Amino acid sequence: MKVMGYVRPDGKVGFRNHLLVIPSSVCASEVAMRIASHVEGAIALPNQHGCCQVGADMDLTINTLIGLGKNPNVAAVLVVGLGCEGVPTSKVAEEISKTGKKAEYIIIQHCGGTLRAEEEGARIVRSLAQEVAKLEKEEVDISQITLAIECGGSDTTSGLASNPVAGYVSDKLIDHGGTSMFSETTELIGAEHTLVKRAATKEIGEKILEIVKNCELKAEKMGVDMRGGQPTPGNIEGGISTIEEKSLGCIYKGGTKPIEGVLNYGEAPAGKGLYIMDTPGQDIESITGMTAGGANVVIFTTGRGTPTGSPIVPVIKITGNPETFKHMQDNIDINVGTVVEGKETIQQTGERVFNEMIEVVNGKLTKAEALKHREFGMYKLTSTF
Amino acid sequence: MGKQAIVVHESDNVATSLRDLKKGEEVLLEIGDTENKVVLLNDIPFAHKFALKNIDLGENVIKYGEVIGKASKPIKMGEHVHVHNIESTRGRGDLEVDKR
């Protein structure tokens, strides 16, 4: 099966042609947004990170920013640094440019303040925008799709309908040679034993148990019952009683294929097939991690409804709750609540969602894209110093 | 009109409602090849759970054929099963505090 994508210089395929303005730190975020506002199609990633972080926490921010720039849906990048932050601005641009795409950088302190940085930055981004617009899509194999599957605002219909449907799509994509990943380690707690059985090797099974144990230890160290944070108050109102119930429903989104590896936050899969990424259950941070890992389309299942999109990746939202679809049609792309109503099977709805995914990678805007939903947030390991 | 409720796995001791159900309502359920009948003791909102049998204090609550928690109170057949009568066995830092 063929789809239309942008083949990047490193051979990776994107389905969007974004021009990113990446601030290296919180201190450069405002200037990055102002630069992006001057240029057609430019998108900034304002964030709270990049300064006064240490050790693995700092590395996570640096690697995530690089991964986002490398994402094949991104055509070119300007990195904007203040000049005194921990993130090495020039190194971020240099690492991104190893993919062969244009990645420039400016330093606000070197430019001489907001207005001069804005002018210099806008001039660079304007030039990149002109070049990026010339790129054309070409026919590529469907195996170039790297699907990220996210669930958020879950209720009990998520485990009964939308997650099994997403799992069907993931299985079908993998049958066509593609790659799929799911994440949210918190939402594996209580279901990890069933995933271990699907691990491609014993080591991968052990890694699954390890990430879940580490996640659970965080709640234990805080001395709290996770319930209320996970499941969330909305999950509970939607009928989910415990984290185990949430997890057992969540993992249906990973389909039935063997698990080929466990990725760190923002890490790219080494091969094709199904992967788990170690991320928190918070939707935005989770999607950012999988985007930094190279996902080029997202299927997002929801029960309660959510407007979430992404600055880089088209997010297709599906719900298994027919009432939620009626209430939030501006945000939800596909109603798979027909499964709980007994009107359609998981396979029938799965085919509909698969076809929508093909249309979206070929260029159809998702509702989140059409409404300019570009939620962005990065995971953080510890407090800022 | 679709089914009133669903039992995901035949070893489950709870069912999930597929629409708002009323106290006193008789619910017909397919469990494997058999058809069971449960009379509801509470209103059950859409997508919430009710017990298929009496569940003792401390007994495992089963859905998807897996343990989703333990009964924190005795639960009667037909009763609403949720945060008021089942508790998680995982992510329980509060229990760690009690041990200290």
Side-chain angles (χ1 to χ4, degrees):
Chain A
M1 198 183 280
K2 300 290 178 190
V3 290
M4 300 299 285
Y6 297 96
V7 181
R8 303 299 177 197
D10 61 350
K12 298 267 167 57
V13 172
F15 297 107
R16 294 295 185 265
N17 207 33
H18 292 309
L19 175 51
L20 282 193
V21 183
I22 302 179
S24 326
S25 65
V26 56
C27 316
S29 285
E30 177 64 32
V31 170
M33 282 193 291
R34 291 184 189 195
I35 290 170
S37 74
H38 290 296
V39 181
E40 177 65 28
I43 297 173
L45 303 180
N47 65 77
Q48 298 183 42
H49 301 242
C51 190
C52 301
Q53 292 178 269
V54 294
D57 190 45
M58 180 87 259
D59 293 342
L60 185 75
T61 296
I62 295 169
N63 291 335
T64 305
L65 293 176
I66 292 169
L68 292 166
K70 283 183 165 180
N71 185 291
N73 282 1
V74 175
V77 178
L78 173 70
V79 188
V80 182
L82 173 60
C84 51
E85 62 269 88
V87 171
T89 302
S90 63
K91 188 189 161 211
V92 171
E94 189 188 315
E95 284 298 317
I96 295 168
S97 68
K98 285 182 183 169
T99 60
K101 71 179 79 168
K102 279 253 183 188
E104 314 259 351
Y105 73 93
I106 60 166
I107 304 286
I108 297 167
Q109 287 166 352
H110 296 179
C111 292
T114 298
L115 297 180
R116 288 180 181 138
E118 210 176 314
E119 183 185 346
E120 191 172 332
R123 196 165 285 129
I124 294 168
V125 177
R126 185 263 296 147
S127 168
L128 293 173
Q130 290 179 282
E131 293 305 312
V132 160
K134 292 194 297 194
L135 299 173
E136 285 182 3
K137 279 189 162 185
E138 49 193 284
E139 202 174 74
V140 296
D141 193 74
I142 189 179
S143 60
Q144 295 294 340
I145 294 178
T146 299
L147 170 67
I149 309 163
E150 176 69 28
C151 64
S154 300
D155 67 13
T156 339
T157 66
S158 302
L160 297 176
S162 57
N163 285 332
V165 166
Y168 175 90
V169 175
S170 171
D171 283 355
K172 183 165 174 171
L173 177 64
I174 290 166
D175 285 338
H176 281 86
T179 306
S180 177
M181 57 175 110
F182 66 110
S183 57
E184 306 184 284
T185 310
T186 324
E187 296 160 22
L188 306 180
I189 295 176
E192 66 271 42
H193 57 289
T194 67
L195 293 171
V196 167
K197 290 178 199 157
R198 283 166 49 201
T201 66
K202 189 164 162 271
E203 289 70 31
I204 293 166
E206 282 164 2
K207 188 82 199 284
I208 293 171
L209 294 176
E210 184 193 320
I211 62 170
V212 173
K213 189 177 159 201
N214 288 340
C215 180
E216 197 170 5
L217 270 174
K218 277 193 277 181
E220 286 178 7
K221 277 189 188 148
M222 285 180 75
V224 291
D225 182 352
M226 211 159 50
R227 187 154 72 180
Q230 278 279 22
T232 66
N235 296 152
I236 292 171
E237 203 182 319
I240 295 173
S241 306
T242 63
I243 186 63
E244 297 94 310
E245 183 183 9
K246 182 171 178 177
S247 298
L248 288 160
C250 276
I251 60 162
Y252 280 98
K253 70 181 185 281
T256 61
K257 297 291 175 188
I259 295 157
E260 305 292 344
V262 177
L263 306 168
N264 294 320
Y265 185 88
E267 184 185 350
K272 302 285 186 182
L274 181 65
Y275 288 78
I276 292 177
M277 184 179 284
D278 183 17
T279 78
Q282 203 249 46
D283 302 336
I284 317 297
E285 292 176 358
S286 172
I287 290 176
T288 297
M290 292 191 284
T291 304
N296 47 24
V297 61
V298 176
I299 291 179
F300 189 125
T301 71
T302 182
R304 312 282 295 168
T306 168
T308 299
S310 153
I312 297 173
V313 190
V315 178
I316 303 163
K317 285 202 291 297
I318 68 175
T319 183
N321 186 327
E323 287 304 314
T324 297
F325 184 72
K326 273 183 220 156
H327 283 309
M328 291 187 62
Q329 279 201 44
D330 283 333
N331 296 115
I332 314 293
D333 294 279
I334 304 180
N335 174 26
V336 301
T338 45
V339 171
V340 298
E341 291 172 324
K343 293 174 184 166
E344 258 185 325
T345 64
I346 284 166
Q347 185 183 352
Q348 286 167 330
T349 44
E351 286 295 322
R352 280 202 290 128
V353 174
F354 188 87
N355 292 338
E356 180 76 8
M357 178 179 77
I358 299 299
E359 281 200 51
V360 165
V361 300
N362 282 333
K364 178 182 175 181
L365 292 180
T366 64
K367 287 182 178 175
E369 287 180 299
L371 292 177
K372 291 189 185 177
H373 267 285
R374 293 168 184 165
E375 283 74 4
F376 180 73
M378 286 191 282
Y379 182 41
K380 207 163 180 304
L381 299 178
T382 185
S383 68
T384 311
F385 283 87
Chain B
M1 205 64 176
K3 285 187 273 188
Q4 292 162 290
I6 184 170
V7 180
V8 187
H9 190 277
E10 47 188 80
S11 65
D12 291 359
N13 54 15
V14 293
T16 305
S17 67
L18 295 177
R19 55 184 142 99
D20 289 333
L21 301 172
K22 291 285 165 207
K23 179 179 173 178
E25 195 169 334
E26 274 188 8
V27 183
L28 293 174
L29 294 152
E30 290 165 27
I31 305 171
D33 295 333
T34 61
E35 195 161 81
N36 292 39
K37 194 164 66 180
V38 175
V39 178
L40 298 179
L41 302 182
N42 315 99
D43 289 349
I44 309 293
F46 171 70
H48 282 233
K49 296 177 291 300
F50 56 91
L52 295 171
K53 51 186 84 165
N54 293 334
I55 302 171
D56 291 335
L57 174 69
E59 193 180 334
N60 285 335
V61 179
I62 312 285
K63 182 183 169 186
Y64 301 112
E66 302 285 344
V67 177
I68 64 162
K70 279 196 306 195
S72 56
K73 287 176 188 160
I75 304 171
K76 289 199 177 68
M77 180 164 88
E79 198 177 331
H80 186 207
V81 175
H82 202 19
V83 290
H84 61 287
N85 54 15
I86 75 171
E87 62 177 7
S88 187
T89 63
R90 303 289 302 272
R92 293 295 301 272
D94 56 328
L95 302 180
E96 296 297 311
V97 169
D98 293 344
K99 276 189 223 161
R100 282 173 208 163

